[in-house]
Amino acid sequence: MPTLAPLLQSEDIFATNELATDLSEPRLAAAANVRRVKAGETLYVEGDAAPFCYQIVSGVVKEYNTLEDGRRQVADFYGVGELFGISELDEQLHTAEAITDCAVRSYPRDVFMQAVATSPTLSQHFLDTLMTRLHRARERIVLLGRMSAIQRVTSFLLRLVSEQHTAQNVRLMMSRQDMADHLGLTIETVCRALTDLKKRGLIVMPSARLFTIPDEDILDDIAHGFGSVH
Amino acid sequence: MPTLAPLLQSEDIFATNELATDLSEPRLAAAANVRRVKAGETLYVEGDAAPFCYQIVSGVVKEYNTLEDGRRQVADFYGVGELFGISELDEQLHTAEAITDCAVRSYPRDVFMQAVATSPTLSQHFLDTLMTRLHRARERIVLLGRMSAIQRVTSFLLRLVSEQHTAQNVRLMMSRQDMADHLGLTIETVCRALTDLKKRGLIVMPSARLFTIPDEDILDDIAHGFGSVH
DNA sequence: CGTGCAATTGAAAGTACTCAAGCCACGTGG
DNA sequence: CCACGTGGCTTGAGTACTTTCAATTGCACG
């Protein structure tokens, strides 16, 4: 039983057209508003009122929480087409920040919820999105709860590979800090894991933000705990 | 009955609603089927076909994943009224096991999904449930990614306190192993954390499955990283 | 060709884990 | 009624891994 196989294949960061249907929903299209955001800019902060929810037109956004001591936990990265900034409450649960220059479509929350409530197809879509999101969150729970640093980093690289549909020259669009905050590690540990993989010839990195994987299977084994390392 | 659902009462607020709505939906009520499960019995296993989804009538159920090396990660515990065994795929993503004797209501998945798709109120409720579930999962992500053993255990105790609406004689209805698997720790580390809290007089445990908290605020500080501990 | 930030490396310290043993409540059988 | 086995919980010692703190290197840019 390839237990984690399905778990580790997350949704596509780059090419999801998850809510393409949104665009076909007249009320939503009418209320939508596209905004440009530069890399590093914050869209909203944890605890803010949440009058809008958002959908990525281009670029990548991260959503994270900040702890009292300043450490951060990145909940998720969102790519083209993905919806974010939604919660059952009236306030944002995370802080959202662009990690590349972005174009982001915003929908007034009440209009969005109203549209979801009255359009069966939209509702269905939204449900699927939420279930998939939950699935993703739980993959991360397994990763954070039970995997070693090497396994976490390896899983993350494999996720990027599957999202970019190639093992050649895969781009890391986020900083080491973002990776660390996402994987529950420190920046140094991420570096060391990458260095380790490089030294073992399992990945090739022509630059700090670009990597190639000669043999994906070996990395799979490592991610799943078969490699020598825990 | 009062002792049957001590866990997860903050979610009861939600759970109760889930319960009420489900029952008021005639198609669902007609297709529902109650089954009794003894503590320790498995309802389904990760990877199984998922012809049903479930709702707890009484007792507590845990949902977990098993890794290749046998370690486990408990995704969540479910109490009275709560729905579980739902995914966007046709297969179960987790294994579900009763941790106390339970009564569980099952709904054929297709009937359930059909009912959700056609009943706006049910759809709305299901949506809220999913958003709340996602919120819970993300709190766990922060816990697993960024909190120390003491913080994790403390947070868990506080969760139980809030669910059972008292800080006196709170029941731990799950084993140390279940706690460990939920918190991403080993059983020994959970024990040591509890011992530590006991020695510091922050909790009192008349028995291994029962605790009282003299001063909740101090524990709050520890959980949030203000306490002297890391 | 500095400047500044990101990434990497090194050394020491700390935290949680592993393995192993001891404890305790409970149920069973002599 | 008590010795004995069982399973869950706790404690101890040693180890492995990750973090922390402190430089150092690499790289893009003005």
Side-chain angles (χ1 to χ4, degrees):
Chain A
M1 65 225 96
T3 2
L4 286 183
L7 281 185
L8 296 177
Q9 263 143 42
S10 297
E11 214 170 280
D12 195 330
I13 272 193
F14 288 119
T16 316
N17 53 357
E18 151 174 327
L19 285 184
T21 43
D22 277 22
L23 305 176
S24 67
E25 168 59 45
R27 278 162 304 179
L28 275 184
N33 204 347
V34 172
R35 170 175 162 195
R36 303 211 156 261
V37 190
K38 287 212 191 293
E41 279 182 12
T42 295
L43 273 135
Y44 49 83
V45 174
E46 184 179 355
D48 276 3
F52 299 104
C53 58
Y54 306 86
Q55 184 186 32
I56 303 212
V57 176
S58 69
V60 183
V61 166
K62 70 180 174 203
E63 246 190 353
Y64 63 89
N65 291 104
T66 305
L67 281 77
E68 286 81 354
D69 60 8
R71 288 179 308 164
R72 296 189 299 185
Q73 176 65 49
V74 171
D76 218 340
F77 297 108
Y78 301 105
V80 172
E82 292 197 283
L83 204 56
F84 65 97
I86 332 153
S87 83
E88 80 278 19
L89 306 174
D90 290 327
E91 66 176 55
Q92 295 295 355
L93 304 175
H94 305 91
T95 299
E97 185 183 313
I99 67 176
T100 66
D101 290 351
C102 288
V104 172
R105 187 179 293 117
S106 65
Y107 303 101
R109 205 177 96 101
D110 50 354
V111 174
F112 182 80
M113 288 315 234
Q114 187 57 34
V116 165
T118 51
S119 156
T121 49
L122 185 51
S123 163
Q124 187 59 48
H125 241 306
F126 189 47
L127 275 175
D128 280 347
T129 301
L130 285 177
M131 288 195 283
T132 303
R133 229 28 96 71
L134 190 56
H135 187 173
R136 265 160 81 167
R138 292 192 163 177
E139 293 168 8
R140 199 132 315 128
I141 284 176
V142 172
L143 181 136
L144 293 170
R146 291 297 176 205
M147 291 185 166
S148 69
I150 284 273
Q151 287 182 300
R152 297 183 199 196
V153 171
T154 304
S155 295
F156 187 71
L157 297 184
L158 288 174
R159 172 185 166 184
L160 293 180
V161 163
S162 94
E163 285 165 356
Q164 300 188 25
H165 307 299
T166 172
Q168 308 292 317
N169 293 321
V170 184
R171 289 211 46 179
L172 293 161
M173 52 288 209
M174 65 289 294
S175 68
R176 294 291 187 274
Q177 188 63 62
D178 286 337
M179 290 175 60
D181 289 341
H182 185 53
L183 301 176
L185 300 168
T186 57
I187 190 173
E188 293 95 333
T189 302
V190 171
C191 274
R192 285 188 244 270
L194 289 173
T195 302
D196 185 32
L197 292 173
K198 279 188 267 185
K199 282 184 179 159
R200 289 157 72 181
L202 301 179
I203 62 174
V204 181
M205 296 194 73
S207 84
R209 298 285 186 107
L210 218 54
F211 69 93
T212 292
I213 295 184
D215 185 346
E216 222 170 309
D217 294 339
I218 303 182
L219 286 197
D220 266 331
D221 286 348
I222 292 177
H224 293 205
F226 297 131
S228 49
V229 194
H230 307 235
Chain B
M1 172 66 172
T3 43
L4 273 181
L7 181 65
L8 309 185
Q9 291 220 324
S10 65
E11 290 135 15
D12 266 20
I13 299 154
F14 237 98
T16 312
N17 289 336
E18 281 179 26
L19 187 64
T21 312
D22 285 15
L23 291 178
S24 68
E25 170 57 47
R27 279 161 305 181
L28 275 184
N33 203 347
V34 172
R35 171 175 162 196
R36 302 209 158 261
V37 192
K38 285 207 192 293
E41 280 182 13
T42 295
L43 273 136
Y44 49 82
V45 175
E46 185 179 355
D48 277 2
F52 299 105
C53 56
Y54 305 86
Q55 184 186 33
I56 304 212
V57 177
S58 70
V60 183
V61 166
K62 70 181 173 202
E63 249 192 348
Y64 64 88
N65 291 103
T66 306
L67 281 78
E68 287 80 353
D69 59 8
R71 286 180 308 164
R72 298 188 299 183
Q73 176 65 47
V74 171
D76 218 339
F77 298 106
Y78 301 106
V80 172
E82 292 198 281
L83 270 172
F84 65 97
I86 330 153
S87 84
E88 79 278 20
L89 306 173
D90 289 328
E91 65 175 55
Q92 296 294 354
L93 304 175
H94 305 92
T95 298
E97 187 184 311
I99 67 175
T100 66
D101 291 351
C102 288
V104 172
R105 187 179 291 116
S106 65
Y107 304 100
R109 206 177 95 101
D110 50 355
V111 174
F112 181 81
M113 288 317 234
Q114 187 57 33
V116 166
T118 51
S119 156
T121 49
L122 185 52
S123 163
Q124 187 57 47
H125 248 303
F126 187 46
L127 240 145
D128 280 348
T129 302
L130 285 177
M131 287 195 284
T132 303
R133 228 30 96 71
L134 190 57
H135 188 172
R136 264 160 81 170
R138 289 191 163 175
E139 286 174 352
R140 194 132 319 126
I141 284 176
V142 172
L143 180 136
L144 293 170
R146 291 294 175 208
M147 290 187 166
S148 69
I150 282 276
Q151 288 181 300
R152 295 183 201 196
V153 171
T154 303
S155 296
F156 186 70
L157 296 184
L158 288 173
R159 173 184 163 186
L160 293 181
V161 164
S162 94
E163 285 164 358
Q164 299 187 25
H165 306 300
T166 171
Q168 307 293 317
N169 293 320
V170 185
R171 289 209 46 178
L172 293 160
M173 57 287 286
M174 65 290 292
S175 68
R176 295 290 188 275
Q177 186 64 62
D178 286 336
M179 289 174 62
D181 289 341
H182 184 54
L183 300 176
L185 300 168
T186 58
I187 189 173
E188 294 95 332
T189 303
V190 171
C191 272
R192 284 188 247 268
L194 288 174
T195 301
D196 185 30
L197 293 173
K198 279 187 268 183
K199 282 183 179 159
R200 290 157 71 181
L202 302 179
I203 61 173
V204 180
M205 296 194 73
S207 84
R209 297 284 187 107
L210 215 57
F211 69 92
T212 291
I213 295 183
D215 186 346
E216 221 171 310
D217 294 341
I218 303 183
L219 286 198
D220 265 331
D221 287 348
I222 292 178
H224 294 286
F226 296 131
S228 51
V229 194
H230 355 286

